Amino acid sequence: MKMNDLFNWHGKLGDYIICNYRGQKYIRRKPRIRHPPTSMQKAQQERMTSVGIFYKALKDAGLSPYWTEASKGKLPHGYNLVVKENMPAFQANGEICDFTKLQPTPLLLPLPDNMQLAQEDDGSWLLQWTNTSCLPGAAEDDLLRVFLMRDAESFNLVPVNTGNACRGDGEARFSIGEALQNYPHLYALFCSSTGWKCTNSRYFII
């Protein structure tokens, strides 16, 4: 097309529209047709939104630095690893569908063997485990941390006071107050006392 013809042209030209507006000629792209998201895309969006909220809950609980440490050399950010490890725990509507698949912490240190949780006669809880000396990276001063979650729609992790119990203790006794009686999902883990390393979380329903 000659240059003079282009200045006199108006209408569609490939992916562009040539038009006149107030004596000026403009060229713009044709608007793209946006198809509504499929049911699978909507489900994925719901899951992603929920994992994002869960990641904020991890940050509020002080657990996000462990994910940052675990992602080094693997993924750009700890959030990406949280998504990878926790997406299977969420269903299409964004709620948690399987608390056993939820991972509040990454695997950087080994859990003790034979972790067992039982309620005592006085209503308190006793968590016991077996210390195996050959576990790589494990230290007796690894700190026990316990968190509670309420239900499939609430992603906050509420810490439980375990009295500074350590891996070397072999057990920990703690109480769960009346306000937390409707928080049946318990996660127990150990964190290094010298850096951002932790075990994955052992899940109990109480």
Side-chain angles (χ1 to χ4, degrees):
M1 179 180 290
K2 296 180 180 179
M3 185 61 68
N4 289 338
D5 293 335
L6 178 61
F7 283 109
N8 293 323
W9 176 270
H10 67 275
K12 297 178 182 179
L13 183 61
D15 290 333
Y16 297 88
I17 297 175
I18 302 173
C19 58
N20 291 306
Y21 181 70
R22 294 186 177 181
Q24 300 292 323
K25 189 173 291 293
Y26 294 91
I27 301 177
R28 60 182 176 85
R29 278 187 177 273
K30 289 192 297 185
R32 295 181 178 180
I33 299 175
R34 296 185 179 274
H35 299 286
T38 65
S39 57
M40 291 185 62
Q41 289 172 330
K42 288 180 179 179
Q44 188 74 354
Q45 290 170 359
E46 289 287 346
R47 290 190 185 98
M48 287 294 295
T49 299
S50 292
V51 173
I53 297 172
F54 179 61
Y55 180 70
K56 183 181 182 303
L58 295 178
K59 291 180 67 176
D60 293 342
L63 298 176
S64 61
Y66 298 102
W67 288 100
T68 300
E69 180 69 22
S71 68
K72 289 180 179 178
K74 300 176 183 178
L75 293 168
H77 193 275
Y79 170 76
N80 302 95
L81 190 57
V82 171
V83 171
K84 179 182 177 183
E85 296 295 330
N86 286 281
M87 280 286 279
F90 292 85
Q91 59 187 346
N93 65 358
E95 296 181 0
I96 299 170
C97 61
D98 191 341
F99 280 89
T100 65
K101 293 181 180 178
L102 199 68
Q103 282 299 327
T105 49
L107 175 57
L108 293 170
L109 294 174
L111 275 170
D113 295 325
N114 305 318
M115 293 184 71
Q116 299 180 3
L117 180 67
Q119 191 168 24
E120 304 279 76
D121 292 338
D122 61 358
S124 64
W125 292 89
L126 175 63
L127 179 65
Q128 296 178 303
W129 58 88
T130 302
N131 287 314
T132 306
S133 58
C134 63
L135 291 177
E140 289 198 354
D141 62 351
D142 289 342
L143 296 170
L144 172 67
R145 300 189 69 181
V146 173
F147 294 92
L148 296 174
M149 294 185 70
R150 187 173 63 186
D151 54 40
E153 300 178 9
S154 304
F155 305 151
N156 290 338
L157 292 100
V158 181
V160 175
N161 184 0
T162 60
N164 295 320
C166 297
R167 186 191 291 262
D169 296 333
E171 65 178 31
R173 284 182 170 84
F174 53 87
S175 298
I176 296 175
E178 186 68 28
L180 298 176
Q181 292 302 309
N182 61 339
Y183 284 68
H185 305 286
L186 184 146
Y187 292 91
L189 58 127
F190 289 87
C191 300
S192 171
S193 61
T194 58
W196 294 113
K197 289 191 176 182
C198 64
T199 68
N200 58 331
S201 302
R202 175 65 191 275
Y203 171 70
F204 298 93
I205 186 164
I206 61 175

PDB file of all heavy atoms in Angstrom, residues 104-128:
ATOM      1  N   PRO A 104       2.898 -26.678  56.931  1.00  0.00           N
ATOM      2  CA  PRO A 104       3.276 -25.345  57.408  1.00  0.00           C
ATOM      3  C   PRO A 104       4.772 -25.077  57.333  1.00  0.00           C
ATOM      4  O   PRO A 104       5.195 -23.923  57.314  1.00  0.00           O
ATOM      5  CB  PRO A 104       2.792 -25.344  58.865  1.00  0.00           C
ATOM      6  CG  PRO A 104       1.729 -26.404  58.917  1.00  0.00           C
ATOM      7  CD  PRO A 104       2.191 -27.453  57.956  1.00  0.00           C
ATOM      8  N   THR A 105       5.593 -26.149  57.315  1.00  0.00           N
ATOM      9  CA  THR A 105       7.046 -25.976  57.277  1.00  0.00           C
ATOM     10  C   THR A 105       7.662 -26.941  56.272  1.00  0.00           C
ATOM     11  O   THR A 105       7.134 -28.021  56.015  1.00  0.00           O
ATOM     12  CB  THR A 105       7.671 -26.244  58.667  1.00  0.00           C
ATOM     13  OG1 THR A 105       7.149 -27.490  59.179  1.00  0.00           O
ATOM     14  CG2 THR A 105       7.345 -25.129  59.625  1.00  0.00           C
ATOM     15  N   PRO A 106       8.812 -26.555  55.694  1.00  0.00           N
ATOM     16  CA  PRO A 106       9.509 -27.429  54.746  1.00  0.00           C
ATOM     17  C   PRO A 106      10.396 -28.442  55.479  1.00  0.00           C
ATOM     18  O   PRO A 106      10.666 -28.303  56.678  1.00  0.00           O
ATOM     19  CB  PRO A 106      10.365 -26.451  53.939  1.00  0.00           C
ATOM     20  CG  PRO A 106      10.692 -25.371  54.922  1.00  0.00           C
ATOM     21  CD  PRO A 106       9.481 -25.244  55.815  1.00  0.00           C
ATOM     22  N   LEU A 107      10.844 -29.439  54.749  1.00  0.00           N
ATOM     23  CA  LEU A 107      11.710 -30.464  55.322  1.00  0.00           C
ATOM     24  C   LEU A 107      13.172 -30.055  55.169  1.00  0.00           C
ATOM     25  O   LEU A 107      13.765 -30.184  54.099  1.00  0.00           O
ATOM     26  CB  LEU A 107      11.459 -31.808  54.624  1.00  0.00           C
ATOM     27  CG  LEU A 107      12.366 -32.977  55.027  1.00  0.00           C
ATOM     28  CD1 LEU A 107      12.276 -33.230  56.518  1.00  0.00           C
ATOM     29  CD2 LEU A 107      12.025 -34.222  54.229  1.00  0.00           C
ATOM     30  N   LEU A 108      13.740 -29.526  56.254  1.00  0.00           N
ATOM     31  CA  LEU A 108      15.157 -29.158  56.283  1.00  0.00           C
ATOM     32  C   LEU A 108      15.921 -29.940  57.343  1.00  0.00           C
ATOM     33  O   LEU A 108      17.143 -30.052  57.280  1.00  0.00           O
ATOM     34  CB  LEU A 108      15.306 -27.653  56.546  1.00  0.00           C
ATOM     35  CG  LEU A 108      14.805 -26.735  55.418  1.00  0.00           C
ATOM     36  CD1 LEU A 108      14.770 -25.291  55.901  1.00  0.00           C
ATOM     37  CD2 LEU A 108      15.671 -26.863  54.186  1.00  0.00           C
ATOM     38  N   LEU A 109      15.189 -30.460  58.332  1.00  0.00           N
ATOM     39  CA  LEU A 109      15.746 -31.297  59.382  1.00  0.00           C
ATOM     40  C   LEU A 109      14.825 -32.502  59.572  1.00  0.00           C
ATOM     41  O   LEU A 109      13.626 -32.417  59.291  1.00  0.00           O
ATOM     42  CB  LEU A 109      15.847 -30.524  60.705  1.00  0.00           C
ATOM     43  CG  LEU A 109      16.814 -29.336  60.782  1.00  0.00           C
ATOM     44  CD1 LEU A 109      16.655 -28.626  62.130  1.00  0.00           C
ATOM     45  CD2 LEU A 109      18.247 -29.786  60.589  1.00  0.00           C
ATOM     46  N   PRO A 110      15.349 -33.618  60.065  1.00  0.00           N
ATOM     47  CA  PRO A 110      14.504 -34.796  60.263  1.00  0.00           C
ATOM     48  C   PRO A 110      13.655 -34.688  61.527  1.00  0.00           C
ATOM     49  O   PRO A 110      14.105 -34.166  62.556  1.00  0.00           O
ATOM     50  CB  PRO A 110      15.513 -35.936  60.379  1.00  0.00           C
ATOM     51  CG  PRO A 110      16.747 -35.284  60.931  1.00  0.00           C
ATOM     52  CD  PRO A 110      16.781 -33.900  60.339  1.00  0.00           C
ATOM     53  N   LEU A 111      12.432 -35.179  61.442  1.00  0.00           N
ATOM     54  CA  LEU A 111      11.594 -35.298  62.628  1.00  0.00           C
ATOM     55  C   LEU A 111      12.100 -36.440  63.508  1.00  0.00           C
ATOM     56  O   LEU A 111      12.685 -37.404  63.012  1.00  0.00           O
ATOM     57  CB  LEU A 111      10.149 -35.595  62.220  1.00  0.00           C
ATOM     58  CG  LEU A 111       9.234 -34.431  61.851  1.00  0.00           C
ATOM     59  CD1 LEU A 111       7.947 -34.966  61.243  1.00  0.00           C
ATOM     60  CD2 LEU A 111       8.930 -33.559  63.061  1.00  0.00           C
ATOM     61  N   PRO A 112      11.853 -36.369  64.818  1.00  0.00           N
ATOM     62  CA  PRO A 112      12.151 -37.524  65.670  1.00  0.00           C
ATOM     63  C   PRO A 112      11.252 -38.707  65.288  1.00  0.00           C
ATOM     64  O   PRO A 112      10.207 -38.534  64.659  1.00  0.00           O
ATOM     65  CB  PRO A 112      11.829 -37.023  67.082  1.00  0.00           C
ATOM     66  CG  PRO A 112      11.779 -35.547  66.985  1.00  0.00           C
ATOM     67  CD  PRO A 112      11.335 -35.234  65.597  1.00  0.00           C
ATOM     68  N   ASP A 113      11.652 -39.870  65.711  1.00  0.00           N
ATOM     69  CA  ASP A 113      10.843 -41.064  65.459  1.00  0.00           C
ATOM     70  C   ASP A 113       9.734 -41.192  66.502  1.00  0.00           C
ATOM     71  O   ASP A 113       9.818 -40.654  67.613  1.00  0.00           O
ATOM     72  CB  ASP A 113      11.726 -42.319  65.509  1.00  0.00           C
ATOM     73  CG  ASP A 113      12.767 -42.337  64.399  1.00  0.00           C
ATOM     74  OD1 ASP A 113      12.446 -41.856  63.296  1.00  0.00           O
ATOM     75  OD2 ASP A 113      13.892 -42.822  64.643  1.00  0.00           O
ATOM     76  N   ASN A 114       8.703 -41.940  66.115  1.00  0.00           N
ATOM     77  CA  ASN A 114       7.640 -42.372  67.043  1.00  0.00           C
ATOM     78  C   ASN A 114       6.986 -41.211  67.795  1.00  0.00           C
ATOM     79  O   ASN A 114       6.798 -41.270  69.015  1.00  0.00           O
ATOM     80  CB  ASN A 114       8.198 -43.374  68.061  1.00  0.00           C
ATOM     81  CG  ASN A 114       8.861 -44.564  67.391  1.00  0.00           C
ATOM     82  OD1 ASN A 114       8.335 -45.096  66.409  1.00  0.00           O
ATOM     83  ND2 ASN A 114      10.006 -44.979  67.905  1.00  0.00           N
ATOM     84  N   MET A 115       6.617 -40.156  67.083  1.00  0.00           N
ATOM     85  CA  MET A 115       5.914 -39.048  67.724  1.00  0.00           C
ATOM     86  C   MET A 115       4.487 -39.464  68.037  1.00  0.00           C
ATOM     87  O   MET A 115       3.747 -39.924  67.159  1.00  0.00           O
ATOM     88  CB  MET A 115       5.934 -37.806  66.838  1.00  0.00           C
ATOM     89  CG  MET A 115       7.312 -37.207  66.648  1.00  0.00           C
ATOM     90  SD  MET A 115       7.303 -35.668  65.685  1.00  0.00           S
ATOM     91  CE  MET A 115       6.534 -34.536  66.853  1.00  0.00           C
ATOM     92  N   GLN A 116       4.094 -39.308  69.307  1.00  0.00           N
ATOM     93  CA  GLN A 116       2.764 -39.708  69.767  1.00  0.00           C
ATOM     94  C   GLN A 116       2.185 -38.616  70.654  1.00  0.00           C
ATOM     95  O   GLN A 116       2.907 -38.022  71.472  1.00  0.00           O
ATOM     96  CB  GLN A 116       2.824 -41.036  70.533  1.00  0.00           C
ATOM     97  CG  GLN A 116       3.330 -42.205  69.701  1.00  0.00           C
ATOM     98  CD  GLN A 116       3.381 -43.497  70.487  1.00  0.00           C
ATOM     99  OE1 GLN A 116       2.981 -43.541  71.656  1.00  0.00           O
ATOM    100  NE2 GLN A 116       3.871 -44.559  69.864  1.00  0.00           N
ATOM    101  N   LEU A 117       0.890 -38.393  70.504  1.00  0.00           N
ATOM    102  CA  LEU A 117       0.199 -37.360  71.281  1.00  0.00           C
ATOM    103  C   LEU A 117      -0.971 -37.994  72.012  1.00  0.00           C
ATOM    104  O   LEU A 117      -1.762 -38.724  71.421  1.00  0.00           O
ATOM    105  CB  LEU A 117      -0.298 -36.240  70.358  1.00  0.00           C
ATOM    106  CG  LEU A 117      -1.038 -35.083  71.026  1.00  0.00           C
ATOM    107  CD1 LEU A 117      -0.096 -34.282  71.925  1.00  0.00           C
ATOM    108  CD2 LEU A 117      -1.663 -34.168  69.968  1.00  0.00           C
ATOM    109  N   ALA A 118      -1.080 -37.719  73.308  1.00  0.00           N
ATOM    110  CA  ALA A 118      -2.177 -38.265  74.109  1.00  0.00           C
ATOM    111  C   ALA A 118      -2.625 -37.224  75.122  1.00  0.00           C
ATOM    112  O   ALA A 118      -1.825 -36.403  75.599  1.00  0.00           O
ATOM    113  CB  ALA A 118      -1.732 -39.542  74.818  1.00  0.00           C
ATOM    114  N   GLN A 119      -3.917 -37.270  75.462  1.00  0.00           N
ATOM    115  CA  GLN A 119      -4.454 -36.351  76.463  1.00  0.00           C
ATOM    116  C   GLN A 119      -4.377 -36.987  77.838  1.00  0.00           C
ATOM    117  O   GLN A 119      -4.734 -38.151  78.035  1.00  0.00           O
ATOM    118  CB  GLN A 119      -5.896 -35.968  76.131  1.00  0.00           C
ATOM    119  CG  GLN A 119      -6.431 -34.823  76.974  1.00  0.00           C
ATOM    120  CD  GLN A 119      -7.747 -34.279  76.447  1.00  0.00           C
ATOM    121  OE1 GLN A 119      -8.483 -34.970  75.761  1.00  0.00           O
ATOM    122  NE2 GLN A 119      -8.035 -33.018  76.772  1.00  0.00           N
ATOM    123  N   GLU A 120      -3.918 -36.222  78.813  1.00  0.00           N
ATOM    124  CA  GLU A 120      -3.780 -36.685  80.186  1.00  0.00           C
ATOM    125  C   GLU A 120      -5.117 -36.563  80.925  1.00  0.00           C
ATOM    126  O   GLU A 120      -6.070 -35.929  80.452  1.00  0.00           O
ATOM    127  CB  GLU A 120      -2.698 -35.880  80.912  1.00  0.00           C
ATOM    128  CG  GLU A 120      -1.345 -35.894  80.215  1.00  0.00           C
ATOM    129  CD  GLU A 120      -0.578 -37.150  80.510  1.00  0.00           C
ATOM    130  OE1 GLU A 120      -0.922 -38.221  79.927  1.00  0.00           O
ATOM    131  OE2 GLU A 120       0.357 -37.091  81.323  1.00  0.00           O
ATOM    132  N   ASP A 121      -5.187 -37.169  82.103  1.00  0.00           N
ATOM    133  CA  ASP A 121      -6.427 -37.149  82.890  1.00  0.00           C
ATOM    134  C   ASP A 121      -6.830 -35.733  83.294  1.00  0.00           C
ATOM    135  O   ASP A 121      -8.018 -35.445  83.468  1.00  0.00           O
ATOM    136  CB  ASP A 121      -6.244 -38.004  84.158  1.00  0.00           C
ATOM    137  CG  ASP A 121      -6.114 -39.487  83.821  1.00  0.00           C
ATOM    138  OD1 ASP A 121      -6.564 -39.887  82.725  1.00  0.00           O
ATOM    139  OD2 ASP A 121      -5.553 -40.235  84.640  1.00  0.00           O
ATOM    140  N   ASP A 122      -5.836 -34.859  83.450  1.00  0.00           N
ATOM    141  CA  ASP A 122      -6.151 -33.484  83.865  1.00  0.00           C
ATOM    142  C   ASP A 122      -6.505 -32.577  82.688  1.00  0.00           C
ATOM    143  O   ASP A 122      -6.688 -31.366  82.857  1.00  0.00           O
ATOM    144  CB  ASP A 122      -4.990 -32.884  84.651  1.00  0.00           C
ATOM    145  CG  ASP A 122      -3.707 -32.800  83.820  1.00  0.00           C
ATOM    146  OD1 ASP A 122      -3.719 -33.239  82.650  1.00  0.00           O
ATOM    147  OD2 ASP A 122      -2.695 -32.298  84.348  1.00  0.00           O
ATOM    148  N   GLY A 123      -6.574 -33.150  81.483  1.00  0.00           N
ATOM    149  CA  GLY A 123      -6.944 -32.369  80.302  1.00  0.00           C
ATOM    150  C   GLY A 123      -5.769 -31.814  79.533  1.00  0.00           C
ATOM    151  O   GLY A 123      -5.939 -31.303  78.422  1.00  0.00           O
ATOM    152  N   SER A 124      -4.568 -31.887  80.102  1.00  0.00           N
ATOM    153  CA  SER A 124      -3.385 -31.434  79.381  1.00  0.00           C
ATOM    154  C   SER A 124      -2.992 -32.468  78.337  1.00  0.00           C
ATOM    155  O   SER A 124      -3.548 -33.572  78.280  1.00  0.00           O
ATOM    156  CB  SER A 124      -2.231 -31.186  80.359  1.00  0.00           C
ATOM    157  OG  SER A 124      -1.857 -32.401  80.995  1.00  0.00           O
ATOM    158  N   TRP A 125      -1.992 -32.128  77.528  1.00  0.00           N
ATOM    159  CA  TRP A 125      -1.563 -33.006  76.446  1.00  0.00           C
ATOM    160  C   TRP A 125      -0.106 -33.385  76.628  1.00  0.00           C
ATOM    161  O   TRP A 125       0.712 -32.575  77.077  1.00  0.00           O
ATOM    162  CB  TRP A 125      -1.763 -32.313  75.094  1.00  0.00           C
ATOM    163  CG  TRP A 125      -3.205 -32.130  74.752  1.00  0.00           C
ATOM    164  CD1 TRP A 125      -3.990 -31.060  75.088  1.00  0.00           C
ATOM    165  CD2 TRP A 125      -4.040 -33.023  74.036  1.00  0.00           C
ATOM    166  NE1 TRP A 125      -5.269 -31.235  74.625  1.00  0.00           N
ATOM    167  CE2 TRP A 125      -5.333 -32.435  73.959  1.00  0.00           C
ATOM    168  CE3 TRP A 125      -3.833 -34.272  73.439  1.00  0.00           C
ATOM    169  CZ2 TRP A 125      -6.403 -33.054  73.326  1.00  0.00           C
ATOM    170  CZ3 TRP A 125      -4.903 -34.894  72.790  1.00  0.00           C
ATOM    171  CH2 TRP A 125      -6.165 -34.297  72.737  1.00  0.00           C
ATOM    172  N   LEU A 126       0.205 -34.638  76.275  1.00  0.00           N
ATOM    173  CA  LEU A 126       1.568 -35.142  76.363  1.00  0.00           C
ATOM    174  C   LEU A 126       2.018 -35.584  74.976  1.00  0.00           C
ATOM    175  O   LEU A 126       1.430 -36.484  74.369  1.00  0.00           O
ATOM    176  CB  LEU A 126       1.645 -36.326  77.326  1.00  0.00           C
ATOM    177  CG  LEU A 126       3.006 -37.039  77.422  1.00  0.00           C
ATOM    178  CD1 LEU A 126       4.075 -36.093  77.952  1.00  0.00           C
ATOM    179  CD2 LEU A 126       2.900 -38.298  78.273  1.00  0.00           C
ATOM    180  N   LEU A 127       3.057 -34.909  74.480  1.00  0.00           N
ATOM    181  CA  LEU A 127       3.666 -35.262  73.198  1.00  0.00           C
ATOM    182  C   LEU A 127       4.991 -35.951  73.485  1.00  0.00           C
ATOM    183  O   LEU A 127       5.849 -35.401  74.181  1.00  0.00           O
ATOM    184  CB  LEU A 127       3.888 -34.018  72.344  1.00  0.00           C
ATOM    185  CG  LEU A 127       4.534 -34.224  70.973  1.00  0.00           C
ATOM    186  CD1 LEU A 127       3.627 -35.049  70.060  1.00  0.00           C
ATOM    187  CD2 LEU A 127       4.850 -32.886  70.314  1.00  0.00           C
ATOM    188  N   GLN A 128       5.166 -37.160  72.966  1.00  0.00           N
ATOM    189  CA  GLN A 128       6.382 -37.931  73.192  1.00  0.00           C
ATOM    190  C   GLN A 128       7.010 -38.330  71.863  1.00  0.00           C
ATOM    191  O   GLN A 128       6.319 -38.476  70.851  1.00  0.00           O
ATOM    192  CB  GLN A 128       6.077 -39.191  74.020  1.00  0.00           C
ATOM    193  CG  GLN A 128       5.584 -38.899  75.429  1.00  0.00           C
ATOM    194  CD  GLN A 128       5.240 -40.167  76.185  1.00  0.00           C
ATOM    195  OE1 GLN A 128       4.410 -40.960  75.744  1.00  0.00           O
ATOM    196  NE2 GLN A 128       5.893 -40.355  77.330  1.00  0.00           N
TER     197      GLN A 128
END
